[in-house]
Amino acid sequence: MRGFLASSIGVTCAAALALPLTPPALAATARPVPAAEAARPAPHAGTPATTPAARRAAEPSAAGSTQSLPLQPLTRDRATPSAPATEQGLSRRAVRHFSLVGVVWDDPDAELHGRVQVRTRTAGTGTWSGWQDVETHNADHAADRDTPERTSGRVRGATAPLWVGDSDGVELRVRSESDDSAADSTGHASGTRNLPAAPPLPSGLRLELVDPGEDDDASSGDEEEPRAAGGANAGTPALTETSAVAEASAANADLAPLGATEIAALNRAESEQEYLALNPGALTERQLRAKPYVGPRPGIVTRRGWGANEGLRESGFRYTKKVKAAFVHHTASGNNYSCSQVPSLIRSIYRYHVKSMGWRDIGYNFLIDKCGKIYEGRAGGVAKPVLGAHTLGFNSNSMGIAVLGSYGATKPSKSAVKAVARLTAWKLGLYRVNPKGKTTLKSAGSNLHRKGKKVRLNVISGHRDGFKTECPGRKLYGKLGSARSKAARYQGR
């Protein structure tokens, strides 16, 4: 795989927000909004534009946007009015169209102990949803500490994103709660225990409302130019939008034509030939004589296929040495999506990771929907060891696969589990790794394994194996044994 470690540079071929209910003092604290977003008019309450054509007429810059709204105190302690508010939020209001929500704050190392709930108004019908919970524990999906991506100065703390579909109204409440009080609210009698005081909420709380744009114009690039690479390459100039698209496509040039929207599936014999072609001069004589255990390559929708705006991400790619393990995640973004909406959902997560959370690109290497379709995640080439931001402490020498949805109480579809097996059988096979085996990774530091510790893990592991977290949800985690067995069979073991 030495050919995969080459620099990506050589691969390249060619409103201010209108908040009618927001006090001026708070409105003045909003982050600067790109000109393309600032120019878009706010909708009139009760008269949403419901069709793509109507939306383009009302909102000319419909290639994706983020509205960032500072939260307001909802309650204060009368005895100590100067103390930080333990409940913040936003009153019900009309906003520009959006489909995904999340809450961010200034310090990525600060935790939000409490509950985040949101209500949204469906565009077209004007119907308000009930209160929906937003997953607050999300810091475990991140770049490793002390890496250029983590120390860029742009990274913020954040909740998981929640997909709500096309909406034009929102109401939010964020309530600080101690862990004991949260447990007490689930069934213990109140008034019989002295509960600890609620911790303060993180500073700089903001509601992020993400519009993914339309499928046919999401990658048109009306955003700012791609960010220059950080860290050691901070002096590298940013690519133009056109060259960024070419760069992302060229990273898969060994697998598909430039500009392809999907990388076609191969049978096992074709995949074995591909394995040899991708490793010129890197295999020993013994490895060349041995049977390659490589699963058939599955079809993969490329970034161009799901409409990535390559102008959002940081230019260039980052690689790790090899792929020794696959960490399986769920996005915790809810299950209320249709498979036809998945490109919009992925564009929303991508924008949230980059624009709201401050990452260099979407964090996951691959994403899988409930229908079993596989999508390219972080740019750099689907066959290459692209360094992701998915499992804090174990991003090196691994890949992150996110199944779209929430799987704590909901079973993943058979199609999704099969897709995990098919993808890992192929990708791990390129690196001569047995999906049913064990591997050792060196921790870069997590709340479960100290920095520098060598950890023995299943080759296909759940996120919770590397970090103390609920991810990938109890129901999906329980299917990983089946995925390992299927992947091994796909490899011919």
Side-chain angles (χ1 to χ4, degrees), residues 27 59 104 126 154 172 179 219 268 299 339 407 436 442 464 476:
E59 306 176 12
V104 301
R154 296 186 297 264
L172 178 78
D179 292 338
S219 59
R268 181 178 294 169
C339 291
Y407 299 102
K436 289 186 70 175
K442 185 176 180 180
R464 64 175 62 181
L476 178 54

Side-chain angles (χ1 to χ4, degrees), residues 4-337:
F4 291 161
L5 305 181
S7 166
S8 63
I9 300 301
V11 176
T12 306
C13 22
L17 296 169
L19 304 177
L21 302 182
T22 304
L26 281 171
T29 65
R31 277 204 312 269
V33 179
E37 295 181 22
R40 186 187 299 188
H44 296 291
T47 59
T50 57
T51 66
R55 286 183 61 183
R56 283 197 181 90
E59 306 176 12
S61 301
S65 65
T66 302
Q67 301 170 72
S68 186
L69 284 60
L71 303 195
Q72 308 167 23
L74 297 182
T75 59
R76 284 197 181 277
D77 188 339
R78 294 183 179 180
T80 55
S82 61
T86 57
E87 187 172 5
Q88 296 185 34
L90 292 172
S91 57
R92 187 181 297 194
R93 64 191 61 205
V95 293
R96 300 196 303 269
H97 282 257
F98 68 96
S99 296
L100 180 139
V101 305
V103 173
V104 301
W105 53 91
D106 295 338
D107 183 359
D109 294 319
E111 295 187 33
L112 196 164
H113 295 281
R115 193 173 188 182
V116 176
Q117 293 181 302
V118 66
R119 298 181 65 198
T120 56
R121 184 178 67 184
T122 302
T125 68
T127 303
W128 283 88
S129 72
W131 287 105
Q132 300 183 74
D133 285 303
V134 180
E135 174 58 58
T136 59
H137 299 293
N138 193 49
D140 44 321
H141 300 77
D144 292 336
R145 296 184 176 95
D146 301 325
T147 60
E149 183 169 7
R150 177 74 176 193
T151 58
S152 67
R154 296 186 297 264
V155 178
R156 289 178 284 275
T159 67
L162 177 68
W163 175 259
V164 295
D166 191 15
S167 304
D168 63 2
V170 69
E171 183 177 3
L172 178 78
R173 61 191 185 196
V174 179
R175 182 180 297 115
S176 174
E177 295 177 351
S178 67
D179 292 338
D180 287 342
S181 64
D184 188 74
S185 67
T186 63
H188 294 291
S190 60
T192 60
R193 304 168 60 200
N194 292 322
L195 297 175
L201 292 170
S203 62
L205 287 168
R206 310 180 73 90
L207 174 64
E208 305 287 289
L209 304 175
V210 180
D211 173 14
E214 304 297 339
D215 284 343
D216 58 353
D217 65 5
S219 59
S220 61
D222 70 336
E223 282 284 344
E224 67 274 12
E225 295 299 327
R227 296 199 311 254
N233 296 320
T236 302
L239 299 174
T240 65
E241 170 66 14
T242 301
S243 60
V245 171
E247 178 191 53
S249 183
N252 291 312
D254 291 336
L255 312 181
L258 292 176
T261 58
E262 184 167 359
I263 296 169
L266 299 179
N267 61 34
R268 181 178 294 169
E270 292 169 332
S271 298
E272 290 176 354
Q273 289 300 312
E274 174 191 65
Y275 163 79
L276 297 174
L278 291 174
N279 289 274
L283 301 175
T284 65
E285 286 296 327
R286 183 177 178 181
Q287 289 171 336
L288 288 169
R289 290 194 302 269
K291 171 182 170 54
Y293 291 103
V294 181
R297 186 179 78 193
I300 302 171
V301 178
T302 66
R303 290 170 64 90
R304 188 176 182 86
W306 54 260
N309 181 346
E310 300 296 351
L312 293 181
R313 65 175 174 84
E314 189 175 282
S315 61
F317 309 131
R318 297 289 178 273
Y319 296 107
T320 185
K321 292 181 179 179
K322 60 185 72 173
V323 177
K324 298 172 61 178
F327 285 99
V328 178
H329 305 255
H330 67 170
T331 56
S333 52
N335 301 313
N336 296 324
Y337 70 89

